[in-house]
């Protein structure tokens, strides 16, 4: 699949989660880092998007342990939560 098409698909999935909170967290994370990700990192994010929003958000804020297959540099960046931009 063409990289640009894949990025657009992941962007859509990241920003259409079902709640504003999840959209800002997951979509904001993708907007900050997604364009620079390698294929391996894109695959990780694609798999992450298959998880439930409440789980992703709990892993990001540290209220649930992160499953081993999601642990690593990308989750560490997500846990910083420095990418969330909530419009006023």
């Amino acid at each position: 699949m063409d990289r640009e098409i894949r990025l657009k698909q992941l962007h859509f999935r990241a920003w259409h989660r079902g709640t504003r909170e999840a959209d800002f967290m997951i979509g904001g994370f993708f907007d900050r880092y997604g364009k620079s990700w390698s294929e391996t990192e894109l695959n990780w994010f694609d798999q992450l998007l298959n998880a439930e929003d409440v789980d992703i958000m709990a892993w990001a804020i540290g209220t649930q342990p992160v499953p081993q297959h999601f642990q690593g540099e990308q989750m560490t960046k997500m846990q910083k939560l420095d990418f969330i931009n909530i419009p006023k």
Side-chain angles (χ1 to χ4, degrees):
M1 176 184 308
D2 178 77
R3 181 176 174 84
E4 288 305 312
I5 292 171
R6 186 168 190 204
L7 288 172
K8 286 178 184 180
Q9 289 175 339
L10 290 173
H11 179 269
F12 182 87
R13 290 177 61 206
W15 276 102
H16 293 85
R17 302 301 299 176
T19 66
R20 278 184 83 176
E21 295 84 357
D23 290 348
F24 284 126
M25 180 180 284
I26 300 165
F29 180 64
F30 179 80
D31 284 354
R32 171 71 63 90
Y33 298 107
K35 288 185 181 179
S36 67
W37 285 337
S38 67
E39 283 302 308
T40 300
E41 292 167 322
L42 289 173
N43 290 337
W44 177 91
F45 189 71
D46 196 3
Q47 290 178 9
L48 183 77
L49 292 177
N50 292 325
E52 296 292 325
D53 293 346
V54 294
D55 293 330
I56 297 169
M57 294 173 72
W59 302 331
I61 63 174
T63 58
Q64 284 185 20
V66 178
Q68 187 172 2
H69 60 281
F70 288 126
Q71 292 178 7
E73 184 179 339
Q74 281 179 277
M75 183 56 70
T76 300
K77 286 181 181 178
M78 181 175 238
Q79 290 172 328
K80 290 182 182 179
L81 300 175
D82 62 352
F83 49 82
I84 298 173
N85 183 18
I86 299 173
K88 295 180 183 181

